[in-house]
Amino acid sequence: MKQITTPITDDVIRDLKVGDAVALSGMMVTGRDAVHKWMMETFIKKTRAPQGDDLQVYEELKKLLNGSVIYHCGPVVSGLDTKEYKFVAAGPTTSIREEPYQADVMKHFNLKGVIGKGGMGAKTLKGCEETPAVYFHAIGGAASYIAQTVTKVHGVFKMDFGVPEAIWVIEVKEFPVVVTMDSHGGSQHAVVDASSKKVLEELMTR
């Protein structure tokens, strides 16, 4: 298993291939649907004017995400009243929902990795080649185990999105993932889709 710490360099990313098992350590942030749409509309496509603390959060995210990782996760968090936050469950959410946004977000923030489950499509794969970046597949159904790799919650932005959709800034140690989309055009998800389609077509002709 390869040990990788954020921030991650382009050389490290280009050395990763589909099938590589990785233990991630360092800083990362969580981001789901609301976060990706907010990033796109406010700062990338600029179809929405910044409001409230948008600009302040954006400047912080530029520093946090540069060379780092965004995790598609809707965590269960304790300590909300005292702000002594702790991740109780931190399983990956389905990534394909972010397909319209992910490539643009990766390029804009110089993201080196995206963590989620289920894989992503052709637009994100192209973004992985161009940025460069990789897609890390996390284990679905292991939310409490993954939460144990979160050693510290440094803070949270956009709590008005709701706890699962907020931007959580976390530090992890040896977070287990597998590279399933790399910066060379490799996608295990595309391979599985093609082989499944072939089996389905054979079944339909019987």
Coordinates of all heavy atoms in Angstrom, one line a residue, residues 48 92 103 154 175:
R48 N -23.9 33.4 -10.3 CA -24.4 33.8 -9.0 C -23.4 34.7 -8.3 O -22.3 34.4 -8.2 CB -24.7 32.6 -8.1 CG -25.1 32.9 -6.7 CD -25.2 31.6 -5.9 NE -25.4 31.8 -4.5 CZ -24.5 32.0 -3.6 NH1 -23.2 32.2 -3.9 NH2 -24.8 32.2 -2.3
P92 N -18.3 7.1 2.3 CA -18.4 7.9 1.0 C -19.8 7.9 0.5 O -20.6 7.0 0.7 CB -17.5 7.1 0.1 CG -17.6 5.6 0.6 CD -17.7 5.8 2.1
A103 N -14.8 18.0 -12.9 CA -13.7 18.3 -13.7 C -13.3 19.8 -13.6 O -12.2 20.2 -13.4 CB -13.9 17.9 -15.1
H154 N -10.8 20.2 11.9 CA -10.2 21.6 12.1 C -11.2 22.7 12.0 O -11.0 23.8 12.5 CB -9.1 21.8 11.0 CG -7.8 21.0 11.3 ND1 -6.8 21.6 12.0 CD2 -7.5 19.8 10.9 CE1 -5.8 20.7 12.0 NE2 -6.2 19.6 11.4
F175 N -6.0 6.9 5.7 CA -7.3 6.7 5.1 C -7.2 5.7 3.9 O -6.5 6.0 3.0 CB -7.9 8.1 4.7 CG -9.3 8.1 4.2 CD1 -10.2 8.9 4.8 CD2 -9.7 7.4 3.1 CE1 -11.5 9.0 4.3 CE2 -11.0 7.4 2.6 CZ -11.9 8.2 3.2

